[in-house]
Amino acid sequence: MKVLPFKIPKPSDEALVYQIDHERIFYDHLHQHEEIQISYIAKGSGSLVVADSISDYQEGDVLVIGGFVPHAFKSDASASSKSIMHTLFFDINSFGKDFFGITDLASTKEFFKKSEMGIRVVSNKEVIIEAFRKLKSQNKVEQIATLLLVISEIMKAQTQPLSSFVYRKTFSDDEGKRMNDVFKHAMEKFNEPIELDEIAQVANMSKNAFCRYFKRRTNKTFFQFLIEIRIENACKLILSQPELAISAVSDQCGFNNIANFNRKFKELKGCSPTQFRSKF
C-alpha cells in the first residue's frame, strides 16, 4: 500500500463509493487521493492532519476533505474500543463531467471550492448524520440521492476550514514517504525535545534543504507545525484530566517553560489554558 498517492479501491465503473471503516485505529499514514471524501465519525476520537493544519476529531463529527488534499487520522492510543467512520468517496466528474455544472446544481460550486481546504461541519449535523445512517441499506441510486442531500445540507450549515494552505501538486511516492515520516515523527515525539538536526535526518535531508522543503509544502516552518501539535494535545489533556495542573500539561506536551506554553496557547486558541478549561 503506497503512502502517497493512495488509491480508493473500487470497481472501474463505480462512480460513488460508500465505505465503513471499523478499526482499532484508522489508516494513519499521510495520504491523498483524487476523490473528495465526506466522512461521519460514528465512534472514536483522535488527531486530524489536513494539509498544513492539525486539529482533533471526535464522535459526531462530519468532515469533508477535498481531492488530492494530504491528510491523516491518528486515533487516540487510549481508545478502548474500535473507531467507526462512514465515508462517501466521489469526485466532481463521477457522474459525468457536466453533471455538477447543470443549472439545477450550480450552487454546489461553493461546496467544491470549500472542500479544497477541507471542511468541518459545525451546524445542521443531525440531518446529515441521519442521512449517513440510512446509506448501508440503500441501493446505488438511493445512495447517489443521499450524496446530493448531504451536499445540500452541508451548504446550508455553518462550517470551519480544516486547513489554511494546500500544496497544489500531487506528491510523488518518495515525497509522500518523506512527509509521512516527518509528520509521524512529530506526532509521536511531540512531548520530547526535537532538534532541527533530528527531524532533518528523519527526512534524509540537510537542515537548510529540509527547512525550505517543509515550508514550501506547508507554508509554515516545521517548528510552527510542532507547536500546533503540542497545543492540540494540551487541549485534550486539559479536557480529559481536569485535575491536572496547567504546569504539568505544559511539561507533558513538550514545552520547556510555562510562560512560553501560555503565550503559544493564547496565540492559537485565543485564550489562556485556564480560561480554556473553564469553558467546558
Side-chain angles (χ1 to χ4, degrees):
M1 184 179 290
K2 296 179 180 178
V3 177
L4 288 169
F6 183 86
K7 295 293 185 183
I8 301 301
K10 65 177 182 179
S12 59
D13 60 346
E14 196 164 306
L16 175 67
V17 173
Y18 168 57
Q19 177 175 303
I20 303 177
D21 291 299
H22 195 288
E23 307 289 346
R24 177 71 176 77
I25 59 171
F26 294 140
Y27 181 65
D28 60 355
H29 295 289
L30 185 71
H31 63 290
Q32 62 184 178
H33 40 72
E34 65 177 323
E35 294 85 0
I36 296 166
Q37 169 177 346
I38 307 178
S39 293
Y40 157 53
I41 309 295
K43 194 170 186 179
S45 62
S47 297
L48 172 63
V49 176
V50 178
D52 69 325
S53 301
I54 181 168
S55 58
D56 69 331
Y57 70 86
Q58 54 191 323
E59 185 173 322
D61 272 346
V62 176
L63 309 165
V64 182
I65 300 171
F68 296 110
V69 176
H71 59 284
F73 289 84
K74 184 172 176 58
S75 302
D76 285 334
S78 59
S80 58
S81 58
K82 287 187 176 181
S83 297
I84 303 173
M85 176 165 59
H86 298 248
T87 301
L88 288 166
F89 293 102
F90 69 103
D91 65 56
I92 196 168
N93 297 316
S94 284
F95 313 109
K97 65 178 183 178
D98 298 321
F99 180 78
F100 284 105
I102 64 175
T103 302
D104 291 344
L105 297 178
S107 61
T108 61
K109 184 177 180 180
E110 180 184 358
F111 167 82
F112 288 105
K113 182 65 178 175
K114 284 185 175 182
S115 75
E116 293 176 0
M117 293 294 177
I119 302 170
R120 184 190 303 276
V121 178
V122 178
S123 68
N124 211 29
K125 291 194 294 182
E126 294 80 7
V127 177
I128 298 170
I129 290 170
E130 183 59 29
F132 263 99
R133 287 173 175 161
K134 295 177 179 178
L135 280 164
K136 189 175 181 179
S137 61
Q138 292 178 333
N139 61 39
K140 281 297 179 181
V141 174
E142 292 168 333
Q143 287 181 352
I144 292 171
T146 295
L147 169 67
L148 296 178
L149 171 64
V150 167
I151 291 175
S152 176
E153 294 299 329
I154 290 173
M155 289 191 298
K156 291 188 288 186
Q158 295 178 343
T159 61
Q160 296 173 341
L162 289 172
S163 65
S164 58
F165 174 84
V166 177
Y167 182 63
R168 290 300 172 193
K169 294 183 179 179
T170 303
F171 285 90
S172 66
D173 288 354
D174 287 343
E175 280 188 303
K177 183 180 185 309
R178 175 178 287 132
M179 289 298 287
N180 180 64
D181 288 347
V182 168
F183 277 44
K184 185 177 181 181
H185 190 84
M187 294 179 75
E188 290 179 351
K189 305 290 185 181
F190 69 89
N191 57 338
E192 303 173 13
I194 300 179
E195 302 295 336
L196 183 56
D197 283 337
E198 175 185 348
I199 197 64
Q201 186 174 3
V202 169
N204 197 27
M205 303 175 78
S206 70
K207 291 187 290 185
N208 288 339
F210 171 73
C211 289
R212 292 192 300 270
Y213 178 87
F214 193 89
K215 182 68 178 288
R216 183 181 179 188
R217 283 153 181 79
T218 64
N219 202 38
K220 63 182 64 173
T221 70
F222 170 76
F223 290 104
Q224 286 175 307
F225 180 70
L226 179 60
I227 286 170
E228 291 176 13
I229 293 175
R230 287 171 170 168
I231 294 300
E232 286 301 325
N233 279 277
C235 290
K236 290 181 183 179
L237 270 181
I238 289 171
L239 296 179
S240 64
Q241 300 185 40
E243 74 289 347
L244 195 64
I246 296 300
S247 58
V249 173
S250 173
D251 290 341
Q252 291 186 30
C253 292
F255 288 90
N256 54 16
N257 68 75
I258 187 69
N260 184 44
F261 170 64
N262 285 331
R263 182 170 63 253
K264 295 299 182 183
F265 194 102
K266 190 167 186 178
E267 286 177 8
L268 289 171
K269 297 299 178 181
C271 62
S272 70
T274 302
Q275 290 169 331
F276 180 83
R277 173 174 279 168
S278 68
K279 291 180 179 180
F280 298 91

